Amino acid sequence: MKLRWIFTLMVVFIAVFSVQMGIFITRQVGESGLKACIMLYWVFDVIVGYTLVRAIWRITAQAYLSRKWNKRFGSMKHDKLTKTLNYKYRSLETEILVVQDEAFVALALGLFKPKIIISTYVLERFSDKEVKAILLHEWHHCRNRDNVKLFLVTLLTEAFGYWPIMKPIFRYYETLTELLADRFVMTRMGTELHLAKVLLKLSKWGKIQPAVAVHFAASAMNYRMMQVLEPDQTVKVKIALLRPLLASISILLLLMLSGDA
């Protein structure tokens, strides 16, 4: 429910901004002289141009990175372990790709048909129950289409980055997504023990080997640890939303007043 409200808030601000900008330009062009029109067109073109360039850049970058990592992981595939793991977790009905790598790699890859990527390092360093916790976490991302949702939120955040409200909303959305995936693991396994062991190991390794984890432990580690330590309590994620919200509302009001004037 929180994620839906957050995403709705983001979309509402973008929609209201777009409508008010359209009204503002229409009225000013109809009532002002040529000089004012040229200035307004210039300002509007800069804003629209920036938004489109950022959106196109994000879409292009996503397509490039998806192709790059699919190709790289495909070349690192461990055939025997991939077959073994896919058979063992066939009930998930999601492709699992085991890659030969000496680093912690665990992620959901792909927008429309996501698959789980896991490294041989994970299989060697973690117990079967801990590996299952990791796989279930990523499976929740796949089943819930979190990659697509997060991509859309990222796209909107980068395209409309000049709105103060966008970045706090993105960070909050990303954190809640990870917490929900962890909550799913604890519910599915009936205990928080195995997930807690994984997070504890990663937090310790991170002090010695930075960037040891890919995606699985990429964000919200403190909140995730709080959740497994106190599973019966609701984790309150702090978000500095008041000032960005007031600043965004102020910009909207100024735009509306300018249009009316």
Side-chain angles (χ1 to χ4, degrees):
M1 184 62 69
K2 286 183 179 179
L3 292 180
R4 290 175 182 174
W5 277 109
I6 290 171
F7 190 77
T8 300
L9 179 62
M10 180 181 287
V11 172
V12 165
F13 263 99
I14 293 173
V16 173
F17 168 73
S18 302
V19 171
Q20 288 300 324
M21 181 59 75
I23 294 174
F24 177 77
I25 293 298
T26 301
R27 289 183 177 179
Q28 292 295 330
V29 169
E31 297 173 2
S32 301
L34 179 61
K35 184 177 180 180
C37 290
I38 293 175
M39 180 61 69
L40 287 171
Y41 272 129
W42 182 82
V43 173
F44 184 68
D45 286 345
V46 169
I47 295 175
V48 172
Y50 174 85
T51 302
L52 291 176
V53 167
R54 294 293 296 180
I56 294 172
W57 179 86
R58 170 44 56 189
I59 294 172
T60 304
Q62 181 65 38
Y64 168 77
L65 289 173
S66 294
R67 179 176 297 181
K68 172 186 174 181
W69 286 109
N70 269 309
K71 183 177 180 181
R72 180 174 177 178
F73 286 139
S75 64
M76 299 164 60
K77 180 179 179 181
H78 193 297
D79 293 320
K80 184 177 179 179
L81 289 176
T82 296
K83 292 179 180 179
T84 301
L85 224 59
N86 274 282
Y87 179 78
K88 184 175 181 179
Y89 294 99
R90 59 189 180 279
S91 60
L92 300 182
E93 297 181 350
T94 300
E95 181 183 356
I96 301 174
L97 177 62
V98 180
V99 295
Q100 185 72 43
D101 202 314
E102 295 302 320
F104 183 102
V105 179
L107 54 89
L109 182 67
L111 294 179
F112 304 108
K113 194 177 179 181
K115 56 187 175 183
I116 300 172
I117 310 294
I118 190 168
S119 64
T120 52
Y121 178 92
V122 175
L123 301 180
E124 293 168 358
R125 295 297 185 92
F126 293 89
S127 67
D128 289 343
K129 292 291 185 180
E130 291 167 354
V131 170
K132 183 178 180 179
I134 295 171
L135 291 174
L136 286 176
H137 177 98
E138 298 305 333
W139 183 58
H140 181 271
H141 287 315
C142 294
R143 191 186 68 162
N144 204 42
R145 294 290 187 269
D146 285 337
N147 284 2
V148 175
K149 295 174 184 177
L150 194 58
F151 168 69
L152 292 176
V153 173
T154 303
L155 178 64
L156 293 176
T157 301
E158 293 195 4
F160 295 90
Y162 42 82
W163 280 99
I165 194 68
M166 301 303 286
K167 290 183 179 179
I169 286 180
F170 171 77
R171 290 193 293 268
Y172 193 62
Y173 187 94
E174 186 180 32
T175 300
L176 285 183
T177 300
E178 292 302 311
L179 289 175
L180 285 175
D182 283 350
R183 175 64 63 179
F184 172 80
V185 174
M186 292 187 292
T187 302
R188 186 69 179 257
M189 299 189 73
T191 178
E192 66 279 0
L193 177 62
H194 308 298
L195 179 62
K197 288 182 178 179
V198 174
L199 295 177
L200 183 60
K201 288 180 181 179
L202 290 177
S203 64
K204 289 181 178 179
W205 294 344
K207 296 177 182 179
I208 303 173
Q209 186 180 358
V212 65
V214 177
H215 187 72
F216 180 86
S219 63
M221 181 60 77
N222 290 338
Y223 290 114
R224 296 173 67 186
M225 289 296 294
M226 289 171 58
Q227 182 170 246
V228 296
L229 291 174
E230 299 182 353
D232 297 329
Q233 301 294 326
T234 301
V235 177
K236 295 182 179 180
V237 180
K238 295 181 180 180
I239 176 173
L241 192 61
L242 183 58
R243 289 186 179 180
L245 179 61
L246 292 176
S248 299
I249 292 175
S250 298
I251 295 173
L252 279 178
L253 291 175
L254 287 174
L255 185 60
M256 294 170 67
L257 291 174
S258 300
D260 291 337

